[in-house]
Structure formats: structure tokens, C-alpha cells
Amino acid sequence: MARGRRRKLHLSKIYTFACGKPSVKDHDQIGQPGFSRVVFCNEPDHYEAKISNYADNYVSTTKYTLASFLPKSLFEQFRRVANFFFLVTGILSFTDVAPYSAVSAILPLTIVIAATMVKEGVEDWHRKQQDIEVNNRNVKVHNGDGTFHDTEWRNLKVGDIVKVEKDQFFPADMLLLSSSYEDAVCYVETMNLDGETNLKLKQALEATSSLSEDSDFQDFKAVIRCEDPNAHLYTFVGTMELEEQHCPLNPQQLLLRDSKLRNTDYIYGAVIFAGHDTKVIQNSTDAPSKRSKVEKKMDKLIYFLFFVLFVISFVGSIIFGIITKDDLRNGRMKRWYLRPDDTTVFFDPKKAPIAAILHFLTAVMLYAYFIPISLYVSIEIVKVLQSIFINQDIQMYDEETDKPAHARTSNLNEELGQVDTILSDKTGTLTCNSMEFIKCSVAGTAYGRGITEVERAMAKRKGSPLANGINGNDEAEDAKSGKSLVKGFNFKDERIMHGNWVNEPHADVIRGFFRLLAICHTAIPEVDEETGHVSYEAESPDEAAFVIAARELGFEFYKRTQTSISIHELDLVSGKKVERVYDLLNVLEFNSTRKRMSVIVRNQEGKLLLLCKGADSVMFERLDKNHMDFEEDTRKHVNQYADAGLRTLILAYRELDEGEYVEFNKKFIEAKSSVSADREALIDEVTDRMERNLVLIGATAVEDKLQHGVPDCIDKLAQAGIKIWVLTGDKMETAINIGFACSLLRQGMKQIIISLETPDIKALEKVEDKAVVTKASKECVLQQIATGKAQVTANSEAYALIIDGKSLAYALQDDVKNLFLELAIGCASVICCRSSPKQKALVTRLVKLGTGKTTLAIGDGANDVGMLQEADIGIGISGVEGMQAVMSSDVSIAQFQYLQRLLLVHGHWCYRRISTMICYFFYKNITFGFTLFLYEAHAAFSGQPAYNDWFMTFYNVFFTSLPPIALGIFDQDVSARFCLKFPLLYQEGVQNVLFNWRRILSWMFNGVYSAMIIFFFCIRALESEAFNSAGKTVGWEILGTTMYTCVIWVVNCQMALAINYFTLIQHIFIWGSIALWYLFLIAFGAMSPSFSSTAYQVFVEALAPAPTFWFLTLFVVISALLPFYAYSALQMRFFPMYHGMIQWLRLEGQTDDPEYCNMVRQRSIRPQTVGVSARRVARTRR
């Protein structure tokens, strides 16, 4: 940048900087505890800096390091009670009480733990790769000789002078020293920090603003004393000592790591906080841990099985102790084969109590197979693969934004199939948050012929032809003419378009209206050098729509400097476009308290003008009583626009005289310079006096269109029996009309409106003190809730509850919230208007805890984060309000309409798969474990296992592990098309019919039955007869192998019966597991007897040649599976569940028979009261 600078111009004289106000903390705290940081600018290696040992700029987000991975990961694994139990039994297996070898006990645990650790390691490696990418980004750093060189982010130190260029991220928290602008301002995008896409304005100190070139930093030295690292993004206290000057610092000079430099060529900054000391890293906390209800119940089942295991071990040990005590009586031995007269302590009749205690340990180890050791790791594998399927679903890919669905956590897949209540934001979630200028009122005349979606919905309710009228014709004409629709501008009115406004009666007022739109804003223009087209970056979609509308109507804002705004506008005299420059003197910024924004400008004629736009609730009261010409008409138009679902703003102006402005500016600068706690109040007081006696110009109306497919999606979700609440910050009228447009409300649905906008409360607010008003307001809300409950109880009709933010504050109080929840649950639709982010989170918590059902929150903005984290499942919409909601969500989707597929298809499938998979896991382990128990009981509780050690080791690891994983990934009771065609199927998950105690216990009973069939059939068939033609009788090794073969066949064939949808992979896994058992038996039996022990040649020499073995296996498998098969067949034929009915439809080819399909749909668990279908039904009944 050139050295010869113009006179310095300071934005502090123009902007209020409300968003970057100085901390109210006294700068005298510098040097005290919490404010002790000292930074030597341009001297990162200063000896005092080395003593302080500040953090470097290397950032790590990994959970483990190379050194800590093994111990930390092992600790994480053994925190699970099941893994710890198997660790204890593994240790005990090295003692004499073990019923099997130590290796066979340790191996399966090692495989399971290793698989989980590998998964953890891979996930952490991905995090490591991301860290490497961030830490290796390049930035220019000062060498110390007036030149800058590129270095990696990780090499930066506190005190380094850094040069950041346009569109680069800031590598650390830095103090802004100067920029490419003369008055050292820069524009910053903080989307990564707070999710906001609007640009923030930052300004350096005047003392450093002259440092405009690299060479200026050769001799630059300064000392910064400031607060210690903390997580407060919007506060900063410090001082800079520069050439014996002490300059106070505030957040306006602080540039935060991971924010981006925009619309500024470059800036220079000094690193204050680096690495893990930066505010964004200090703010990085783990999202709240969420676990699904299925997983929580699974934990209870594990504990239940532990209880069963210890009970049968205890009972068996008592029986064993009694039998052992009677083994040797009067010299006679009952169990002579155990030699009780010459034995160890394990069978010594004289030490029966000790033998019983030792047997208890043996039994606990033996019955450990009741606990499915591979369940947790199998479920983790399945959930990760289910998440991949969700991510890759092309039906949930948004081509326009190039964003697919993304399951950010796999913990809650099955929870997606159990949602009872959806709590949704409106703006950006149900609507696009892409505003379109569609109507306006100027000088009491309404302009704009467009039809909004809400107006169409209202027309449909009234049966008016308007629904398919004007707008559709206009769009058709546009299509014919080839005219491209302008984003943000959907205005159609020939009276003021194409310059025709000059012929209107109030042309001068219309010109003032357009000028105000083009001038009163903080947008930044970007001119395409090739085409000359001007685009805008604005703080909000509304503001962008206003400047686009001004441009399209002939008042093009094309240039902004620090003190001027330039526009092209139509000159009434010459009829040509001319350039006009307005001196920008002050910007009185918008905030949620002021609800308005103003600019003070001087036009080319030297007139001082205050231009203001704001909400009708604050603007009408500020109008000049002598200039109320259009007020009544404008109020009427604004109400009509609100009824049409539009967002409105009032536009007004005021001419200022020179003396008045000088006095205001003096007080304004004094108020801004104050560092007291009432600084904001002082600024508001000064600006409030100036924004009075305004002259009304008109009103704007912009439409936030419904997202594509929202009404149909809500209809499907309503058919599924899911209740939908809308939590919005919009006005009640707007929210109600959007409710009609998206079919949450319908004609004939009675509305219960809870509001404090009553004459009595308003009268009290004017004359009474705050305590009286609060008490009266609470009583009013209680009375309205009680009246609403009485209405809902007395009638069976559908009701809609609508409540505003003021009333909601009282409804959420501890002594009222349960009454409010009871009323809300009884209503078909609930809409909470004017809700704050905190209220959204509190409502979500109330529904979650009060109903005990699964709640899902969906939103797109930073103001929805609390709601998303509070709900059981948080869904982030990757919209235009930044990524904060997405980053805090469990699943992200691009549009609301994809929610129906996410829940009704993937949610239903995941719930069914996980539920069946867990039930099957318990079934197969109980089947196997109970045969061990029966055999040990048969052997007088001697602690003798029925099977070879290695058979038991590989049962859960190889022979039965893959089929349930395949079921968890691929099984479908009905196809995606039928899930959407019959949404009521989703209620199987909401009512938890597939994972209730009845179903779980029935699977467990099936396991006990199968084990009894296997054991008693095998023991009775083999105990007394010759086993083969050689007359050989059955020994323990033959009986155990035969029983094990039957177990493998039974549990795998049971899986085949449980599957609804076979794939090639499932066939391979099921029949391959059985084949693997025979191959293992042959290979293992061929090994040395010292290793294979009882399995040596048992299959080749004993089992394979014997017909009894094959016939017995077939007979046992049929006998064990017959009851389940018969029960399933009878249920499917005579008492089908809802998915069974749909399967019958498909089987009989009646899926396109409307009458039969409607009959199936009528088996609704709850009547549908909202949505397009409910509206259609209601219309037919009238």
C-alpha cells in the first residue's frame, strides 16, 4: 500500500460498535490474578516470554497419543462391566478353579478388545490427519528485519507479527495492528465460531494504524498486558504500551483463531493467545453424551443376566457342597470315580464349605457364556455401517447445495426409529431463510401482485380460485420470455417497475423509499469486473433482499467506502441514471432490543438525513404526529402482509439541522467512549432521542418461502403418529399462517391461544410496578391454561395450542410447567411464538423429561444449538445460517423434507435391526450357556464343561458372530417404498413393540427351550446304546461335540427364520458359519492330541461315520425350531403385526388396491389430526 495516506478516517466516529463493546471490567485489573499475561510484540524469544512458557500454536484434538493409546484405551474398554467381568474370569482361568484352559478364556476377550481398540485407533488417526492439515497451513510471519516469510501455523509463537491475507483464516488469537484500509478496519467472518455468516467489523488502535507496509515492522516494539486465556468469545481486556503510550484494548481489536478475513486485502496482527490457549479451543467441549433407550435397556439386560448367572452359580454351589459332604459316609463312597477318600480340596467331603466356595468361582467362570462377550463390539460395527448407509443414501442428497445426509454419531441410529415428538425451528428449517422482496406499501398505496404460499393455503381453505392464479401465470410468462428470476426479488407490479414509478401520484415519496432501501444497511457490494454485475454480502437475508430490490427497481448501491455510499439512481428531471454519493456520518446499528437500524447521511445538496427502518412495534410510536398522512393505510397493509406470512419492516426518515446533529454527535461520541457499566444505556438514550418525530414513508414485506416438500413431509410424519411442535421467534400471526401453509393447522381446527397481549395486562403494565404485573401475568397464563385443558378434555376434536414468548416464560416455571405440558400433549399441534433460544431448550427438556418419550429437535442456526443438544436426537439443517447447528447435531440433513426418509425408512430399519439383533444375541448365548448348566447339573455340579475348551472359545467369536451382524446391516421387514407408503409402520418403534420385556423374555425362553431340547434329546439318544457298528459307546467328547453341533445348527437356523430379507451376504454368513464349524472340527481334530485333546479325530473317526449323529442333528434342529416356526406362522396368518399386514399386501399383489390399502391404514394407533391427509379427511366429513 502506498505510503502517502489521506487524512485518517475513523469508523469509531460512524459506527456504534455494539457487537464489539469494550468490557465493563476496569482496566486497572491488568496485572492482577486472571489478568497477568504479558506479550512482547515482535519479540517472541524475549527472555521474559521464555520464562512465562506460553503454549505454542500446535493444536491436537486427538484422544490418544502414541504413548497413552495402550493404557488409556485399555482403561476405556475395561470400564464396561461386561469386559471387566471377562477380565476377572480370564485372570481366574490361570488358577486351579478354572473349568477350562487360560488361553481359551483370554483369546476371545483379546479379540473383542483388540477389535474395539483398532476402531478407536482408526477414528483417532482420522482426527490426527485433520490436526496435521490444520497445523501445516501456511501464514506469513515477520523475520525481524522488515520482511515476512511463509511458515506453518504450528511454528507461531506468542508475540509474533503475522500478515494474514484476504480469505485466509486467522492462525491464532491476534491483536489487530493495521489493515489495507486507511483507518485500519477489517471485515471478519466468524461462521466457524458462532455459525453466523454475517461479517463483523474490527478496527485497530489509532496508534498502530500507520503500520501499513512490511518494512514498518522492522523496529516495531510494543508490550501488551491482558487477561489470561479464557473461553469468553466476546470479551477482552488489555492495554498496549507503545512509545510510552498506554492504549486500552477491547474486543474490537481481537481477531479470533478460525475466523476468516473477508473483503480486506490484508491485515497485520500480533499473536496474543496461541494453540490451546486460543478462545475457540478453550470453548471446544465434547457434545453431551447421548445413549439410545435400546442401549440403556440392553445394559439392564446384561445386569439381569449377571444376576441370573450368580444365582444359578450360588444355587449350584450349595447343591454341590451338600452332595460333596455326603460323598464319603462311614467309609462308603457315593461318587467313587472322584475318589473322595484321596482327593484335592475341590472334592474333599471334609472341607465341603470350602469346596462349595471354590465351586462358586468355577461356576461363575463356566456360566460366563450367558453374557454375550461380542455384543458391544458387534453393535458398534453394525451402527457404523448403518451410518455409512445413511450418509450414502442418494434420496437424501441435495444437489443444489451438494450436501448429503451425514450421521455425525452412530450411537443413536435406532433412536431415529422411536421418535414421539419433533420440536422444529421455523426460519431456515421449515422455511428457506432465503428472503424474497415480494410486496411493499409506499405512501399508503400497496404494491406487489405476487401470491405467497400462505395466501395460496388460505385460498385453498376458502375454496378460492386464487390458489392457482396470478403467481403461477406470472411464472409461466417469465418462463416463456426467458427471463431469469432474480434471487431475493420476486416483486411484480408494472406501476413502479421499469421506471414507471415516476408516473405515480407520490413519485417523490417512492423515490425516498427506494433511496432508503439502497442506503440504510451495512451490506458490502462486490462488483464483477467483467460483467459489471453487483452482488452483495449482507448481515442477514432480509437486508440482502432490500438492497437487491433497490437495485432491481433502479436504485443500485454499488460502492461503499468508510465514509460514503454511492448509488446509481434515476433522475426525475433528466430521466437518466445518475451517480449520487451520500456521506455516511453515523450508523446506529440494529439489535434485538432496539428492533431498528438507522443511518445519518449528508446528500449532495448538503441536507442531513436520518434514515430508519424497524419493526412496526417500535416504529409507529416514533412517528411525527404532524406527518401521519399514510399511517392508517400502512398499518392495514402491514397487518395484511403479516396475515400472508410475510416479514415486515416500517421505513421512515427525518431531516436534521446542523446544530442538532453537532450536539447529537458530541453526546454520541461521549457515550461510546464511556467504559462504565451503563455504556449501552447511554448510547441507547442518545440514539433514542434522535430517532423521534420520524416521517413515515412505507413498509416492506419479504417472504421466507417454505422449503420444498415441507407440507408433504409433515403429512407423512403426522400419519406416522409423530407429534410436531414449532418453536419460532416470529410474530404469532406469521407463525399461525406458516402453520396453515405447511398443514400443521387446518380450517376447522380449534385454536387455544395463550397470550399476555390482553387489555387488562397492558393496562397494568402502564400503571403498576413490576411485581404486580408479574403476579397478574402468571395468574392470567394459569387461567388460560386451565381453560384450554377444560376445552380439550370436554371435546374429542383436534385442538392447536399457540403460545407467545411472554406467556411461555411463565408456563415454563416449575409450578406451572406440568399443567402446560398436559395441555400441550392433548393438542394436535403446538406453536410457540417469540421464543428465545433458552426457551427453546427449556421446552425441549420439558417434553423429554415430562413425557419420557423420545424427542427430536431440528434447527439450522446458532440459536437452535441448546435445543439440539437438549433433545434425545438433534438434527441440524445445513442451511444459510452457518454450520453451528450442524456441528452441534447428531445427524445433519440439507432440507427438512429428508426427515421423513431419515425417520420412516432408516429409523425404522435401524430400530428393527438393532432390536432383533440384541434379542438374538441373548437367545444364542442363553441357548449355549444353558446347555452348559444342564450338563453340569447332570454331572452333579462338578464344574465339568460339556465342551472342549476351544469349542467354547470360538462360539461367540467365529461360529455365531457374523449372521447377527449381517442382520443388523441388511435386514428389511418392508422396502423403503412401503415404509413411506404406510407411515403408521413407524409406530412399532414409538411403542417399542420389538424390544419390550415381553419380546425379550420370549426370546430368552426360546433359548432355554432350545437348550433343553438339545441337551435332553442328545443325552437320551446317546447314553445307553452303541454309537456305531463297532459297538462303541458314547463318551464325553462325542456327546459334547454332538451337542455343540446341534447348538451351531439351531442358533444359525433360528437366524434364518428371523430374517425378513435375505441377501447373498446373509446366506454366506449363516450357512458359511455352519460349514466353518465342520471345517474347524476336521482341521482341529487332525492336530496333535496334546493340543486338540478331546477333539482329536472325533469327527472323522467317531461322528461322521455314525448315521445316529446325522439323524440326531436333523431331529434336534427341527424339534428346537418347530415352536418358533409355528408361532410365527400362526401370528402372521391370523394376528399379523402391522409390518406383517404390509407383507401380505405385497405377497398378494394388492399394494395398488386403494380400498385394501386404506383398510390397512385405518388400523391407526392414533387418529391423524394434522397434515394434508387430515385436512382432506376433514373436508370430506363437512
Side-chain angles (χ1 to χ4, degrees), residues 288-351:
S289 178
K290 296 181 180 180
R291 300 182 69 215
S292 69
K293 288 179 172 58
V294 169
E295 194 173 343
K296 290 175 184 174
K297 183 174 277 192
M298 183 181 75
D299 288 345
K300 293 178 183 177
L301 283 171
I302 294 288
Y303 290 128
F304 172 73
L305 287 181
F306 272 124
F307 173 74
V308 171
L309 185 155
F310 283 110
V311 166
I312 62 175
S313 298
F314 181 73
V315 172
S317 299
I318 291 174
I319 296 171
F320 174 76
I322 294 170
I323 294 173
T324 300
K325 188 176 180 180
D326 291 339
D327 256 355
L328 187 63
R329 191 177 288 264
N330 300 325
R332 295 185 61 186
M333 296 180 288
K334 286 189 177 180
R335 292 185 296 180
W336 53 268
Y337 50 87
L338 294 177
R339 290 302 305 273
D341 58 332
D342 182 22
T343 186
T344 62
V345 68
F346 298 106
F347 299 99
D348 191 346
K350 298 175 183 178
K351 299 178 181 178

Side-chain angles (χ1 to χ4, degrees), residues 623-631 653 693-696:
L623 298 180
D624 187 347
K625 304 303 179 187
N626 299 320
H627 294 82
M628 306 283 281
D629 303 344
F630 322 122
E631 186 194 6
Y653 79 101
N693 301 318
L694 303 174
V695 178
L696 178 65

Side-chain angles (χ1 to χ4, degrees), residues 332 376 680 775:
R332 295 185 61 186
Y376 283 107
E680 287 300 298
K775 183 180 178 183

